[in-house]
Amino acid sequence: MATKKKKSAKSAAAKPAKKGKLWGGRFEGGTDASVEQFTESVSFDQRLAPFDIRGSMAHARMLGRQKIIPQADAAKIVKGLQGVLARIEAGKFDFDPALEDVHMNVESALTEAIGPVGGKLHTGRSRNDQVATATRLWQRAQIDATALAFEKLIGTILKISEKETETILPGYTHLQRAQPVTLAHHLLAYAQMFARDLERLGEVRARTNVLPLGSGALSGSSLPLDRAGVAKELGFAALTQNSLDAVSDRDYQFEFLSAATLSGLHLSRLCEELVLWSSAEFGFVQMSDAFTTGSSLMPQKRNPDVAEIIRGKSGRLAGNLVSLLTMVKGLPLSYNRDMQEDKERLFDSADTWLACVQLTEKMLRATKFNRKKMAEAAADPMLLATELADYLVRKGLPFRQAHEVVGKLVAACEKQNKTLVDFTPGELKNFCELFGADAPGVLDARAAVGARTLVGGPAPKAVARQMKELQKVLAKPRPWR
């Protein structure tokens, strides 16, 4: 969730700090202004504010319940935090870069609002476990939004596929026409990829949904904190089991960025095919004006820019993952300031990924499929060479020999400028005695597709099974609904 900035961090950073540092007790001199500007993170981590405040309210209530601070003070802190959150959500909060990060900005505003009682909020916690908690809460919410977008995308593919179970087009290997399939079967291949992306999101969510609050700076607390109570209030399923690991762990971020990167590859492949299919050389699809652009020079152009940009964004997702992995690979336990660099990578990938999924769904829903062009491409008899080989196998010929026979037949087609359907049964017998009068009957694209009824095949019956299984995936109980 992004919050509105009343003024830019850069312009605010040029002004002198209004308040002393909340950690400044042991320091006699001030921080150099250029260091403040270089090290501040509030310009980007302010989006954590609602999650930071939510965690702080749960922490304050726990401190009151445990009688670590008076109940009245805890209630006053919670009410003060609600006021700070209201200002942030209304866009009336000035984030001060001199206070470094979102956490210190919130605490400073709280203390200004309710007085010294606000200083009791930080009892039993450090910014280390505080930021880890806020980030996990934020990532959990981002996972939920992305998962819902994937469910919508898969649902759109299923709706299109229901209408295209009989639409024949060539399947390709090496970008060469290979065998006929159905459009539904082709699109459902991407639905399977996105279903795996959805499952991965659920797995990442489970490992994200662990509460680190109570781990302190690195060694927990001697105060009687109720970590389990805080976890229950915040919806966490478990507690971190080692305080050193809890504040230095970025695995849940790596997994999120890894899932985003892999998913970006899936989205990129789909967009690449839409780009190819929208070209005059294919003509399989016409993309909507809403998701294409024109040329500043050539009036006739319809450029698939959105698909191309999504394809390009996959590299950005991969780059963010590599950046974060490189940052952490040599860090000793526990927290190090390098880790501040995780937020921009994490936020950028989350925003990019979600936007790509949402735009892909909208773009696909608005795309028109040219069944006539697909049928013309699939009418090439050479796509059915394997059907002839399978015919000979059913007659008892070993497949390798059948493959060789049909290979010679294809070579003859090229030399004589013929196609497979141009050979009579008698002529086919010149290549193999096992060819009978019924052999030309297998050279029918619709029959060839319809015969491939195995689980995972392109026949309409097999496609119907695929769709039922995907509907089950969408119907599974999920924590984000």
Side-chain angles (χ1 to χ4, degrees):
M1 181 188 298
T3 54
K4 294 168 74 176
K5 292 185 278 185
K6 197 164 184 179
K7 57 187 177 182
S8 72
K10 186 173 181 180
S11 63
K15 298 180 180 180
K18 301 174 184 176
K19 312 169 187 69
K21 305 292 186 188
L22 297 182
W23 45 259
R26 60 93 65 223
F27 289 82
E28 294 181 2
T31 307
D32 187 281
S34 63
V35 172
E36 287 191 347
Q37 188 168 356
F38 184 70
T39 59
E40 67 83 22
S41 62
V42 72
S43 59
F44 51 85
D45 71 13
Q46 62 185 262
R47 70 190 298 170
L48 292 176
F51 304 95
D52 179 75
I53 290 173
R54 185 180 170 192
S56 290
M57 288 193 291
H59 183 69
R61 292 189 187 102
M62 179 274 295
L63 292 175
R65 285 196 310 271
Q66 296 296 101
K67 297 183 172 52
I68 297 171
I69 65 174
Q71 286 274 16
D73 288 351
K76 191 173 183 179
I77 289 170
V78 170
K79 186 175 181 181
L81 287 169
Q82 289 170 338
V84 174
L85 179 59
R87 285 168 55 198
I88 292 171
E89 291 179 337
K92 297 178 179 179
F93 189 95
D94 289 332
F95 287 97
D96 184 0
L99 292 173
E100 298 181 0
D101 58 30
V102 62
H103 319 291
M104 293 179 73
N105 268 267
V106 168
E107 186 175 338
S108 177
L110 174 67
T111 304
E112 276 189 1
I114 68 173
V117 171
K120 295 185 178 183
L121 173 60
H122 212 54
T123 304
R125 75 175 184 184
S126 162
R127 272 192 296 174
N128 293 357
D129 59 346
Q130 183 182 357
V131 66
T133 300
T135 306
R136 284 176 182 267
L137 284 170
W138 173 87
Q139 181 168 297
R140 189 177 70 188
Q142 195 69 31
I143 287 171
D144 292 353
T146 307
L148 289 171
F150 266 115
E151 290 185 343
K152 189 172 183 180
L153 174 56
I154 294 168
T156 292
I157 293 175
L158 286 172
K159 287 178 183 177
I160 296 171
S161 297
E162 286 172 3
K163 301 175 184 178
E164 307 295 346
T165 57
E166 301 286 343
T167 303
I168 307 292
L169 79 163
Y172 294 81
T173 65
H174 308 278
L175 206 54
Q176 307 296 312
R177 290 178 182 173
Q179 291 178 283
V181 295
T182 60
L183 177 57
H185 185 63
H186 194 108
L187 292 177
L188 288 173
Y190 287 104
Q192 294 291 344
M193 297 180 204
F194 299 142
R196 293 195 296 272
D197 291 332
L198 189 63
E199 292 300 318
R200 264 186 290 274
L201 273 168
E203 293 161 4
V204 176
R205 191 187 196 278
R207 284 185 285 277
T208 298
N209 202 27
V210 181
L211 177 71
L213 200 62
S215 299
L218 77 161
S219 62
S221 176
S222 60
L223 299 172
L225 305 178
D226 177 16
R227 296 189 68 204
V230 174
K232 183 177 180 180
E233 180 175 343
L234 294 175
F236 283 102
L239 302 174
T240 55
Q241 297 298 301
N242 183 287
S243 58
L244 281 167
D245 176 57
V247 297
S248 62
D249 173 34
R250 293 297 182 272
D251 288 6
Y252 66 101
Q253 295 182 18
F254 297 149
E255 290 193 48
F256 182 77
L257 295 190
S258 178
T261 300
L262 185 51
S263 172
L265 300 182
H266 296 157
L267 293 165
S268 179
R269 295 182 74 179
L270 172 57
C271 287
E272 166 65 10
E273 293 211 310
L274 290 174
V275 170
L276 283 173
W277 286 5
S278 66
S279 68
E281 285 71 21
F282 279 80
F284 289 177
V285 302
Q286 180 175 322
M287 301 183 74
S288 167
D289 287 353
F291 299 96
T292 55
T293 65
S295 166
S296 61
L297 177 66
M298 297 163 283
Q300 84 281 9
K301 293 292 294 298
R302 182 199 295 268
N303 297 327
D305 282 18
V306 174
E308 290 173 343
I309 292 173
I310 292 172
R311 187 177 62 188
K313 295 282 188 185
S314 63
R316 183 169 177 164
L317 295 171
N320 284 337
L321 172 60
V322 172
S323 177
L324 191 57
L325 289 168
T326 305
M327 179 197 77
V328 172
K329 72 174 184 64
L331 294 182
L333 292 175
S334 57
Y335 181 80
N336 300 272
R337 190 66 181 272
D338 315 46
M339 291 179 172
Q340 175 178 299
E341 289 294 298
D342 63 350
K343 303 298 181 303
E344 289 178 287
R345 309 287 82 74
L346 182 63
F347 296 157
D348 182 70
S349 282
D351 292 342
T352 300
W353 189 14
L354 179 57
C356 286
V357 177
Q358 291 172 332
L359 278 168
T360 299
E361 187 277 328
K362 289 180 180 179
M363 178 174 61
L364 199 57
R365 182 157 36 95
T367 296
K368 294 179 180 178
F369 295 90
N370 191 327
R371 295 172 182 169
K372 183 180 177 183
K373 279 278 192 181
M374 292 179 180
E376 289 173 356
D380 179 0
M382 304 305 283
L383 295 175
L384 302 170
T386 303
E387 306 309 311
L388 281 179
D390 287 346
Y391 171 91
L392 293 174
V393 168
R394 288 192 289 272
K395 293 289 186 176
L397 194 66
F399 178 77
R400 286 301 173 199
Q401 293 179 38
H403 185 284
E404 184 177 358
V405 168
V406 178
K408 289 178 179 178
L409 181 57
V410 169
C413 286
E414 293 175 350
K415 289 178 182 177
Q416 300 174 37
N417 195 26
K418 290 183 176 181
T419 67
L420 294 174
V421 295
D422 293 329
F423 288 89
T424 66
E427 290 173 322
L428 289 175
K429 276 191 173 293
N430 293 329
F431 291 88
C432 181
E433 283 294 329
L434 294 176
F435 279 125
D438 58 343
V442 303
L443 298 175
D444 177 88
R446 193 165 298 280
V449 169
R452 298 180 183 281
T453 58
L454 293 176
V455 173
K461 288 182 180 179
V463 165
R465 287 196 297 265
Q466 287 185 58
M467 290 192 288
K468 282 184 181 179
E469 291 302 314
L470 284 165
Q471 291 287 7
K472 289 179 184 178
V473 170
L474 294 181
K476 285 175 67 174
R478 304 286 190 176
W480 47 77
R481 294 195 219 106

